[in-house]
Amino acid sequence: MPQIDDKLAPIYEEVVRRNAGEPEFHQAVREVLESLGRVVAKRPDYLEDALIERICEPERQIIFRVPWTDDKGRVQINRGFRVQFSSAMGPYKGGLRFHPSVNVGIIKFLGFEQIFKNALTGLPIGGGKGGSDFDPKGRSDGEVMRFCQSFMTELYRHLGEYTDVPAGDIGVGAREIGYLFGQYKRLTNRYEAGVLTGKGLFYGGSLARKEATGYGNTYFTQAMLRTGGSDFDGKTVVVSGSGNVATYTIEKVQEFGGKVVACSDSSGYIVDESGLDLDLIKEIKEVRRGRVSQYARLKGEGNGVYFVKSGEGSIWDVACDVAMPSATQNELTGKDAAKLVKNGVTAVGEGANMPCTPEAIRTFQQAGVKFGPGKAANAGGVATSALEMQQNASRDRWSFEKTEARLADIMRDIHDSCYTTAEEFGAPGDYVIGANIAGFIRVAEPMRAFGVI
Ligand SMILES: NC(=O)C1=CN([C@@H]2O[C@H](COP(=O)(O)OP(=O)(O)OC[C@H]3O[C@@H](n4cnc5c(N)ncnc54)[C@H](O)[C@@H]3O)[C@@H](O)[C@H]2O)C=CC1
Ligand SMILES: O=C(O)CCC(=O)C(=O)O
């Protein structure tokens, strides 16, 4: 098991003590500190002025009550969060997650990851994350609207295009961003397009933002495959999830000649051995807001098409050359990784944030599987959000082609900087170490320049 350098171990112990009961946050911090031992060995000056301790402590954490009225006239109460982790690189930037599992530890882990991810994009954005334990599943449009309006009624005072710029994440898509933006505009009496990203195309959104995270992960994973002289063409691929990230991962992998044979949601997974029909998945998920099990019913079971219920198997039992986990954190365990390795997986690109457990990452790396960590591989979404902010600031609108070309360049740059940083710090081929160190150095330099703040 990788160890934290003796000089950094007290920092980790303090994070655990101060943030008791937040295992996902501990996990995210631990992984970064394991990598940073190599940095402080070469550059002990990074230990000065509690720079690393400061990076592990959010600049500001906001927790608030979100009261709203459901369709039956009953008052419901949820809890809202925004963790403004680091503004060293620019305004806080990161999505909002609406899911019943949300708590402060989950938001903190996501905000912490976002610092390094956003730095890797090379664009001027700091790190933050927010959300609520509100579950949009099964709620009417009216209920979602009233919830979003109440959520923004508290949060708006902490936001601004130069302060903090949220976007979507699990459970927050175009519909929710529309309601949030409408309420922000109403409360502030300002048409401040740059305060949220992932907006609709008719009110300041960017072409290619919807596709960006999935496309970006596909570009990143392609770059990893190419270091071994290979590509997506002819590869069998498994993509977990069936939301925003998964959908557009499937689309780009198919365009690159890969065959995606399985995807999932929290009810289970579907397999179509001849390759998933993406139009049908979009119809089920984006239009009907249904479950992936409907795929097997609509396509007809048999001939390599089947559905496996959650709890009766794992999507990672399906043999593939490339795995792209794109649902949620810790969804791919050490046992799943061992199965994938046994079945011949050669590359893993994380579309979700921290979907592989530490044991799974170790299993992949020990088996020589190319492993792209989320903070690098899924950075295309937030990078394109920063491009949306650029378009808003210049009152401009770019074509899909121009935006996607910028995204593709950014993903190749991120890949190359992780790859060369890993080499420079004595860990060739280790994208986890490369991403953590390259991201850290970019954030540490402005922090040092600003003095002790
Ligand atoms: N939307 C974006 O631009 C970005 C999203 N991400 C990450 O990608 C992941 C997916 O996010 P989105 O696609 O935006 O969300 P989404 O809400 O559009 O889709 C989430 C998908 O994951 C599935 N899922 C959630 N919990 C699950 C569980 N416990 N078991 C199995 N499936 C589960 C849902 O059924 C759904 O298909 C998250 O980890 C998110 O933080 C990362 C970078 C950017
Ligand atoms: O586009 C954004 O600002 C945030 C995307 C996001 O939440 C993420 O990168 O995990």
Side-chain angles (χ1 to χ4, degrees):
M1 175 156 164
Q3 293 301 315
I4 300 181
D5 183 277
D6 285 350
K7 295 191 198 69
L8 302 177
I11 302 178
Y12 180 67
E13 282 157 23
E14 182 59 8
V15 165
V16 172
R17 191 195 64 76
R18 212 182 238 174
N19 303 278
E22 298 176 6
E24 293 85 2
F25 180 47
H26 305 165
Q27 183 182 334
V29 171
R30 183 178 180 101
E31 185 205 280
V32 170
L33 294 183
E34 282 169 3
S35 299
L36 293 190
R38 290 169 190 264
V39 179
V40 296
K42 265 195 179 182
R43 294 278 309 271
D45 52 305
Y46 281 129
L47 286 167
E48 288 166 13
D49 297 331
L51 226 152
I52 299 176
E53 287 90 327
R54 273 191 283 149
I55 259 185
C56 296
E57 179 68 19
E59 289 177 17
R60 189 174 297 110
Q61 304 181 54
I62 303 146
I63 302 183
F64 51 101
R65 182 171 71 192
V66 190
W68 57 282
T69 306
D70 68 18
D71 285 345
K72 297 203 171 88
R74 285 185 307 231
V75 174
Q76 302 278 347
I77 307 291
N78 285 98
R79 188 171 279 184
F81 304 91
R82 187 74 181 165
V83 174
Q84 299 181 328
F85 226 116
S86 168
S87 58
M89 298 288 297
Y92 308 106
K93 184 85 194 87
L96 297 171
R97 176 176 291 191
F98 292 169
H99 192 271
S101 64
V102 164
N103 58 46
V104 70
I106 300 269
I107 298 299
K108 242 189 252 173
F109 115 68
L110 290 162
F112 183 74
E113 291 279 289
Q114 205 80 45
I115 305 172
F116 304 93
K117 179 193 308 195
N118 295 5
L120 285 170
T121 67
L123 297 165
I125 39 178
K129 199 87 183 192
S132 173
D133 55 4
F134 171 71
D135 187 357
K137 223 178 270 155
R139 292 292 178 190
S140 69
D141 284 351
E143 290 178 316
V144 171
M145 181 183 75
R146 290 192 293 280
F147 173 80
C148 288
Q149 290 175 340
S150 180
F151 184 86
M152 187 52 95
T153 298
E154 171 58 34
L155 193 62
Y156 86 98
R157 68 194 87 242
H158 305 288
L159 306 182
E161 67 173 306
Y162 297 107
T163 311
D164 185 350
V165 183
D169 189 81
I170 292 179
V172 179
R175 173 181 61 169
E176 290 74 18
I177 294 291
Y179 295 144
L180 292 165
F181 184 71
Q183 184 71 354
Y184 182 86
K185 187 172 81 59
R186 181 184 187 198
L187 289 165
T188 59
N189 195 29
R190 279 162 63 89
Y191 204 111
E192 190 185 332
V195 74
L196 283 167
T197 60
K199 298 182 293 298
L201 295 177
F202 35 86
Y203 66 93
S206 173
L207 286 160
R209 172 62 187 91
K210 183 175 68 170
E211 293 81 359
T213 310
Y215 280 20
N217 186 22
T218 312
Y219 283 119
F220 187 94
T221 306
Q222 181 188 51
M224 288 200 301
L225 288 168
R226 284 182 173 169
T227 61
S230 159
D231 212 318
F232 271 108
D233 199 24
K235 295 270 187 308
T236 298
V237 181
V238 169
V239 178
S240 63
S242 51
N244 172 266
V245 178
T247 300
Y248 294 97
T249 302
I250 298 171
E251 187 162 284
K252 196 46 113 183
V253 168
Q254 289 181 340
E255 190 188 313
F256 284 173
K259 183 171 77 167
V260 184
V261 294
C263 73
S264 63
D265 61 21
S266 46
S267 70
Y269 67 93
I270 42 159
V271 176
D272 187 337
E273 286 166 3
S274 61
L276 291 173
D277 175 345
L278 185 57
D279 289 337
L280 185 53
I281 291 168
K282 284 186 182 172
E283 161 72 23
I284 294 167
K285 299 308 284 191
E286 293 180 356
V287 182
R288 303 182 186 208
R289 292 188 189 268
R291 315 302 290 156
V292 289
S293 55
Q294 287 173 262
Y295 184 96
R297 274 205 300 281
L298 291 166
K299 196 96 199 285
E301 293 242 22
N303 288 328
V305 177
Y306 57 92
F307 171 70
V308 179
K309 246 185 19 211
S310 179
E312 293 181 1
S314 160
I315 188 171
W316 308 117
D317 295 340
V318 180
C320 61
D321 303 306
V322 181
M324 303 177 84
S326 305
T328 195
Q329 63 274 359
N330 291 327
E331 56 159 307
L332 197 163
T333 63
K335 196 166 141 238
D336 295 325
K339 189 75 184 273
L340 282 164
V341 168
K342 186 162 158 265
N343 285 337
V345 75
T346 60
V348 178
E350 289 190 321
N353 285 307
M354 213 170 73
C356 298
T357 63
E359 296 72 32
I361 298 173
R362 222 166 20 252
T363 303
F364 289 135
Q365 291 185 327
Q366 282 168 359
V369 173
K370 293 179 193 304
F371 177 78
K375 63 170 75 73
N378 73 35
V382 76
T384 308
S385 279
L387 302 182
E388 182 173 329
M389 291 162 73
Q390 281 184 32
Q391 293 169 70
N392 295 150
S394 57
R395 305 280 191 265
D396 198 2
R397 187 171 166 73
W398 302 352
S399 67
F400 193 97
E401 291 69 28
K402 174 173 170 169
T403 317
E404 193 188 347
R406 283 290 308 272
L407 166 67
D409 283 346
I410 291 167
M411 295 316 296
R412 278 189 282 267
D413 284 350
I414 295 175
H415 172 272
D416 294 353
S417 104
C418 295
Y419 189 85
T420 52
T421 306
E423 273 195 340
E424 188 187 334
F425 283 86
D430 189 327
Y431 291 92
V432 174
I433 288 179
N436 288 334
I437 294 182
F440 168 76
I441 290 174
R442 287 192 191 169
V443 181
E445 289 304 333
M447 280 181 78
R448 205 195 325 243
F450 297 153
V452 179
I453 57 168

